[in-house]
DNA sequence: CGTTTGCATGAGGATTATTCATGATCGAAC
DNA sequence: GTTCGATCATGAATAATCCTCATGCAAACG
């Protein structure tokens, strides 16, 4: 059937005013163009050009196809430009969703770095406190999911970003601060400061307290990591946070941290669609995030 | 580069939900589709489909191309439909211009006939009293030119429609009515009734009076053929008209007609663009007009 | 587990596209 | 009027491509 090649040929002939010139523009021989046109005309059963006229005049049928070419070819070229941008990391979409609440603060400085290197990429961070982000990754609503638990699903590729240790955060003056490690029972009389999410999504419950059958004395929800640390420093309660999140506050000596039992370690992973791992703006994100 | 074929493939895969089904719809083997997609992906340097997912999910690049396919393919199909219509005489444009004033009345009944047989054709008659219609035929503004004088230009095809004789029209009671033929000098004292156009476009001047160096006694312009005949019948003057135009009035015996000298014969021609003579709606017009 | 389904791959053949060489046509220049 | 140059058409040969056949592989399903 008809192909874009034919439309490009017609447009070139119309714009240059001769088959010869059009052939040159298209890097073809004049003969190739002549054959191509003839074959198309035969297939359609319609003449497209009046070759006798100079410059060659499109017939009614030719004019109709020219209109088509004029509307279609720019659309195609535009799309191809976009794809070239994608192929070179100069365009694309990167919607990042995180299952890990405190990770957002870890993410932001890296995202600034990423934005500098991939300026053309449409970047967004979705706080998916509610919805399970993995299905949304599969159906294309987001492009990267950050999660501490790696669930291998068909079509997904997982990349470890960094290992961390969850530590008990408490005021430097707290009675437990001198201990080498904390045990679940230690929290039975404490106020536990947590993010406002369901407990099933908090490692401190799922991997530490619940297995030991312990409930904290009180639970209080706090919006931000900074506030969590602040309240812990003031002795209003204790928190469980990844080591990197409290590294800065630790140097100020207002808080102390304890290992949880044998050590509650984890790894943050990034999931992307397997088919897109090679896309520059996706691979670039993984490199920046893991680096 | 990318071709419509690729867009059709992508769209088919997206709509059917599998390569195999898409191949069937496109009357290709599954293998062909697989090769085609693979080659396109390699050429673009981008994955287009996530084959692991079921149904195969378009990647960002694939989604972009799908958007393109969804906008472009309907346009192409629409155009092809139009062309098919053209090829079968069910569509097209036929703008008719006439250099011959009295021909319009000859044309109209045939045009009605034509319209019945080529219902889809956009039909129009342009009274080009002013502009020379042949250049407009060449530049595409009109599609048929009716003219009594055939000027062969490159790219034009001429078809004789019918032969006619210009005859002197006068009242049945006119003194000259019994003569066998009229001579230019006979008009020296008569009022000549003519259409309101420059004399250079009237055969009676260019082919009869001027060669003999005769001027009519008076010249009076009249808009329509019917009025021309009416005034002649009333003895208000004489006219020169093609035989067919007065055939009807002649049967009513109110007018008589004379041969002009040896006989002022002519042929009405139709000019169309040479490349379009085979188009059904053009060839159909010529057939209807000449028949 | 075997069976089915969907996709990938390699090789061979068939179809298409392109080029080369040449001829026809037309207009301009001499 | 002849010659030249430019443009396009054409046929044959070649190059490129596209497609199919015959497989292989992996996941899904009973």
């Amino acid at each position: 059937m008809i192909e874009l090649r034919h439309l490009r040929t017609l447009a070139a002939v119309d714009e240059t005013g001769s088959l010869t010139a059009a052939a040159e523009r298209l890097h073809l021989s004049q003969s190739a163009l002549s054959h191509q046109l003839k074959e198309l005309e035969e297939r359609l059963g319609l003449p497209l050009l009046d070759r006798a006229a100079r410059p060659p005049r499109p017939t009614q049928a030719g004019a109709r196809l020219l209109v088509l070419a004029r509307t279609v070819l720019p659309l195609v070229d535009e799309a191809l430009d976009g794809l070239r941008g994608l192929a070179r990391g100069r365009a694309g979409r990167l919607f990042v969703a995180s299952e890990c609440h405190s990770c957002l603060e870890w993410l932001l400085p890296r995202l600034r770095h990423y934005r500098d290197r991939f300026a053309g990429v449409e970047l967004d961070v979705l706080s998916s406190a509610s919805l399970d982000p993995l299905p949304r990754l599969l159906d294309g609503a987001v492009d990267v999911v950050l999660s501490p638990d790696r669930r291998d699903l068909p079509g997904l590729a997982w990349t470890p970003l960094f290992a961390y240790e969850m530590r008990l955060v408490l005021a430097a003056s707290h009675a437990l601060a001198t201990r080498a490690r904390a045990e679940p029972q230690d929290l039975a009389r404490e106020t536990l400061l947590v993010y406002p999410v369901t407990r099933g999504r908090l490692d401190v419950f799922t991997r530490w307290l619940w297995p030991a059958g312990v409930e904290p004395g009180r639970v209080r929800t706090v919006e931000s990591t900074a506030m969590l640390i602040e309240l812990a420093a003031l002795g209003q309660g204790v928190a469980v946070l990844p080591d990197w999140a409290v590294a800065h506050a630790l140097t100020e000596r207002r808080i102390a941290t304890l290992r949880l039992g044998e050590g509650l370690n984890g790894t943050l992973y990034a999931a992307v669609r397997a088919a897109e791992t090679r896309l520059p703006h996706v691979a670039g994100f993984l490199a920046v995030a893991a680096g």
Side-chain angles (χ1 to χ4, degrees), chain A:
Chain A
M1 246 296 87
I2 194 174
E3 287 294 349
L4 290 178
R5 167 168 33 99
H6 299 122
L7 297 185
R8 293 195 195 279
T9 296
L10 267 180
V13 169
D14 190 60
E15 282 159 24
T16 61
S18 92
L19 297 213
T20 308
E24 194 167 345
R25 174 198 284 198
L26 299 173
H27 307 294
L28 287 177
S29 69
Q30 171 269 321
S31 169
L33 236 75
S34 182
H35 281 295
Q36 186 183 109
L37 267 174
K38 183 187 170 192
E39 200 232 312
L40 180 60
E41 287 179 324
E42 276 168 9
R43 211 163 12 211
L44 294 173
L46 290 167
L48 298 175
L49 289 179
D50 178 357
R51 266 85 148 194
R54 188 120 346 207
R57 272 194 39 73
T59 63
Q60 292 192 26
R64 181 67 187 84
L65 279 188
L66 265 176
V67 169
L68 181 67
R70 295 265 136 76
T71 63
V72 156
L73 292 179
L75 293 174
V76 173
D77 291 340
E78 197 180 324
L80 289 183
D81 274 355
L83 292 187
R84 265 186 286 275
L86 254 186
R88 304 152 103 241
R90 306 215 149 270
R93 195 193 72 170
L94 197 83
F95 287 179
V96 183
S98 174
E99 279 190 331
C100 154
H101 203 273
S102 57
C103 294
L104 292 181
E105 294 173 32
W106 165 86
L107 181 61
L108 290 176
R110 287 157 206 265
L111 232 38
R112 274 191 285 278
H113 185 202
Y114 176 81
R115 169 160 281 160
D116 291 343
R117 288 185 42 199
F118 294 88
V121 175
E122 184 189 359
L123 195 56
D124 200 0
V125 177
L126 309 161
S127 60
S128 63
S130 53
L131 221 60
D132 184 19
L134 281 186
R136 308 186 64 201
L137 178 58
L138 286 171
D139 71 21
V142 303
D143 305 302
V144 182
V145 169
L146 302 182
S147 169
D149 45 58
R150 167 175 180 156
R151 278 177 284 163
D152 282 297
L153 294 175
L156 293 189
W158 292 84
T159 308
L161 296 183
F162 63 88
Y164 60 88
E165 184 189 348
M166 298 300 286
R167 296 188 66 97
L168 186 67
V169 180
L170 28 67
S173 56
H174 195 285
L176 291 171
T178 54
R179 295 261 295 279
R181 50 185 267 189
E183 300 302 335
Q185 297 81 339
D186 294 332
L187 293 200
R189 320 215 62 181
E190 296 287 338
T191 295
L192 180 61
L193 306 168
V194 298
Y195 296 117
V197 299
T198 61
R199 298 186 179 183
R201 296 189 53 202
L202 293 168
D203 280 354
V204 61
F205 284 104
T206 58
R207 297 177 58 192
W208 199 53
L209 294 177
W210 287 351
V214 174
E215 277 292 313
R218 237 186 100 222
V219 173
R220 177 175 168 192
T221 62
V222 179
E223 289 288 337
S224 74
T225 307
M227 198 54 119
L228 223 54
I229 295 173
E230 200 54 36
L231 292 177
L234 293 173
Q236 304 270 334
V238 301
V240 173
L241 290 173
D243 48 7
W244 58 263
V246 295
H248 180 68
L250 208 51
T251 62
E252 293 173 355
R253 307 269 175 193
R254 302 181 54 215
I255 59 168
T257 69
L258 297 185
R259 170 152 299 166
L260 299 176
E262 304 289 332
L264 190 56
N265 294 300
T267 304
L268 185 71
Y269 294 93
V272 299
R273 286 179 289 274
E276 296 184 358
T277 46
R278 300 277 172 89
L279 282 182
H281 74 289
V282 174
F285 172 82
L286 296 177
V288 166

